[in-house]
Amino acid sequence: MIPAVDYIRILPEIVLTVFGIIVMMVDPLLKDQDDRKSLGAVAAVGIVAAIIATVYQSTYPGTSWWGMVRVDNFSIFFHIVVLVVALVTTLMSFEYLKVQNIRHGEYYGLILFGTVGMGLMSSAVELVLIFIALEISSISTYVLAGFRRRAAESTESSLKYFLLGSFATAFFLYGIAMMFGATGSTNVGEIARVLQNDAPTLAYVAVALMFVGLGFKVAAAPFQIWTPDVYEGAPAPVVGFMSTAPKAAAFAVLLRVLFATSAPGWFWLIWISAALSMTLGNMGALVQQNVKRLLAYSSIAHAGYLLVAFAAIKDTNAGISAAMFYSASYAAMNVGAFAVVSHFASTGEKYVLLDDYAGLGRRSPLLAATLTIFLLSLIGIPITGGFFAKFYVFSAALKSNLVGLTIIGLINSAIGAFYYLRIIVYMYMRDERVSTPVPRVPVALGFALVVSVVATIYLGVFPGRVLNYALESARMLMQ
């Protein structure tokens, strides 16, 4: 008989699944002309319940389900990040779906089911379960990317994401198979025990293949080519979701695969990928006029900054905690930025060019100020989460004598400041060429923006508590 504590250790996933099923069952009962805000409210309640379940779950640390799931500070941290992003995405979608005339309740169900996969990814310590969780998350986001069904670019976005994602999945699966061949196990703890004695050549190949699969999921170079097209075509709230929650979950998996398994031969893979991601992402963003594409390229660059922390092998705990802090900060500021973009884009996402943002500071001072906070955080300006995120990452890199990678990162941060500031210049120093409407901010979106702003400022003013929690998580991960 399965002990009750096993169910507690997957309680957030159970809660999300139940609410997702409720959304899917109620949807056909609503009239076609009704909007689906009521289903969004059900989904939001489900996510809040899952956050409460996660807090409750933290009082029952340990492994369960025959050693496949592990509840510890590390998994709790990423659960909270993913769930808060899902909540903000759900809230910002209320008005967006109405404006875009999208009346399909399964949208909210897919967000819930996708979050189930991301939650499992952060707590799974069995490679096969990680693969299943990755697929649960990916399939939901493939469908969500094509949710503007009347827009050809959205369908193209979904198709590209699905096809390229399938290749990445195959690489990851081959990596798991080879790791099993090299160590005789797919359990993270058992793999670490075997690899401590000797790492066969097959283990190096396995690590490389798994990195290809996860590198695609986090949009790290040279596997980033899909990102701008997919982000441009997908609905703006979905892009905010895709660029943060699945990335945070994939980085959690990468941390477990590389560090907890004591995987061999990954250092130069990470080093090269970090340098390429920062450089290609920032260079691509420099020439963009479409704000969604600009943020897509910048997300590649931020994946690179985060990978810098991975390379800090001499002070592993500092590297892991810096990567965790960066994931939380980036999630808060980027999902907030996309909340503003999705609101301003209007029907058919017509207003997504830099010229459309000209004069926004005069037409909607509060909305412009909110976007400015997120952009300053993305640059890394003090009193925002982005500042300490970059500070901890580069500090960890310097402690590990990664001077070259740190210099590349700092140069790229300066380049990134240019295109983020360009948006601010357009908002405050350019006159609008054509009259672009700025609709009133609805209550749900306002709440989503408040959550994102508070998280961004809190991480910039009081980073100690979150960082200490991340450090403790890193120590537990390495035990």
Side-chain angles (χ1 to χ4, degrees):
M1 184 175 176
I2 298 171
V5 72
D6 279 22
Y7 291 100
I8 293 175
R9 285 175 182 147
I10 57 167
L11 191 57
E13 287 76 26
I14 293 174
V15 171
L16 290 169
T17 304
V18 169
F19 276 87
I21 291 171
I22 291 171
V23 168
M24 300 300 276
M25 291 179 70
V26 172
D27 182 40
L29 304 178
L30 299 178
K31 295 177 181 176
D32 289 343
Q33 64 269 28
D34 291 342
D35 64 34
R36 293 316 195 247
K37 284 185 181 177
S38 56
L39 296 179
V42 172
V45 170
I47 295 168
V48 172
I51 293 173
I52 295 169
T54 302
V55 175
Y56 177 67
Q57 183 188 55
S58 65
T59 58
Y60 291 89
T63 57
S64 60
W65 298 101
W66 303 280
M68 291 195 294
V69 173
R70 179 177 175 181
V71 172
D72 52 18
N73 285 10
F74 182 81
S75 71
I76 298 294
F77 183 92
F78 280 102
H79 264 84
I80 295 293
V81 171
V82 166
L83 287 167
V84 171
V85 170
L87 180 63
V88 170
T89 304
T90 302
L91 293 174
M92 78 164 93
S93 299
F94 285 13
E95 198 64 23
Y96 178 87
L97 294 187
K98 182 182 176 184
V99 169
Q100 305 297 333
N101 198 24
I102 297 173
R103 303 177 190 279
H104 304 289
E106 65 265 29
Y107 175 90
Y108 296 109
L110 288 167
I111 289 178
L112 292 174
F113 293 134
T115 310
V116 169
M118 295 164 210
L120 276 178
M121 284 165 69
S122 60
S123 56
V125 288
E126 164 70 37
L127 293 180
V128 175
L129 182 60
I130 289 174
F131 170 74
I132 293 170
L134 190 65
E135 282 308 284
I136 294 171
S137 163
S138 298
I139 290 169
S140 297
T141 47
Y142 295 153
V143 181
L144 285 169
F147 227 81
R148 289 196 299 132
R149 298 175 189 177
R150 298 183 189 88
E153 66 267 24
S154 188
T155 307
E156 179 189 347
S157 160
S158 180
L159 192 60
K160 274 186 183 175
Y161 193 28
F162 169 69
L163 292 175
L164 294 174
S166 300
F167 280 113
T169 298
F171 276 102
F172 188 70
L173 193 57
Y174 274 124
I176 292 174
M178 290 196 176
M179 186 59 82
F180 179 76
T183 64
S185 177
T186 52
N187 183 278
V188 167
E190 182 62 19
I191 291 170
R193 190 188 64 77
V194 174
L195 293 181
Q196 274 179 352
N197 301 325
D198 185 30
T201 306
L202 199 57
Y204 289 85
V205 180
V207 170
L209 289 174
M210 284 193 282
F211 180 74
V212 171
L214 293 173
F216 174 88
K217 299 298 179 188
V218 300
F223 317 110
Q224 86 295 352
I225 201 72
W226 59 277
T227 313
D229 290 345
V230 172
Y231 281 21
E232 184 181 5
V238 173
V239 180
F241 185 61
M242 287 164 55
S243 64
T244 50
K247 267 192 175 186
F251 274 118
V253 171
L254 202 55
L255 285 167
R256 279 201 194 277
V257 168
L258 296 185
F259 291 100
T261 63
S262 304
W266 52 267
F267 175 76
W268 285 108
L269 276 178
I270 294 292
W271 198 104
I272 294 168
S273 181
L276 280 176
S277 299
M278 291 186 289
T279 307
L280 294 177
N282 282 312
M283 290 301 166
L286 270 180
V287 296
Q288 299 304 316
Q289 290 297 315
N290 184 307
V291 175
K292 285 176 73 180
R293 285 185 74 87
L294 185 152
L295 292 175
Y297 276 105
S298 85
S299 79
I300 299 167
H302 283 278
Y305 298 135
L306 219 154
L307 286 175
V308 172
F310 279 68
I313 54 173
K314 287 191 177 174
D315 191 347
T316 306
N317 286 347
I320 295 173
S321 59
M324 293 172 68
F325 189 90
Y326 203 106
S327 296
S329 299
Y330 181 69
M333 55 198 177
N334 206 50
V335 78
F338 271 106
V340 177
V341 171
S342 68
H343 177 64
F344 186 60
S346 191
T347 308
E349 297 200 354
K350 288 180 290 191
Y351 306 118
V352 290
L353 299 179
L354 276 175
D355 283 338
D356 298 322
Y357 284 75
L360 184 65
R362 289 182 289 279
R363 286 177 288 144
S364 181
L366 195 57
L367 199 63
T370 306
L371 182 56
T372 301
I373 291 172
F374 297 132
L375 293 173
L376 292 177
S377 186
L378 286 164
I379 293 171
I381 299 296
I383 79 155
T384 63
F387 170 75
F388 280 110
K390 285 187 179 172
F391 175 78
Y392 293 137
V393 162
F394 292 135
S395 295
L398 286 175
K399 286 178 184 173
S400 295
N401 297 324
L402 297 173
V403 178
L405 198 56
T406 304
I407 291 172
I408 294 172
L410 291 173
I411 292 171
N412 273 288
S413 292
I415 295 171
F418 174 79
Y419 58 75
Y420 289 127
L421 287 173
R422 192 161 57 132
I423 301 176
I424 297 174
V425 167
Y426 268 80
M427 288 194 294
Y428 290 101
M429 299 179 190
R430 295 282 178 91
D431 294 324
E432 57 181 322
R433 293 180 183 175
V434 293
S435 179
T436 309
V438 184
R440 186 177 61 84
V441 176
V443 175
L445 177 66
F447 185 72
L449 288 173
V450 167
V451 170
S452 302
V453 168
V454 168
T456 302
I457 299 295
Y458 178 82
L459 291 171
V461 178
F462 305 106
R465 191 170 181 180
V466 176
L467 185 69
N468 289 336
Y469 190 89
L471 274 167
E472 179 61 25
S473 305
R475 278 192 284 271
M476 293 178 74
L477 181 72
M478 296 305 295
Q479 287 176 356

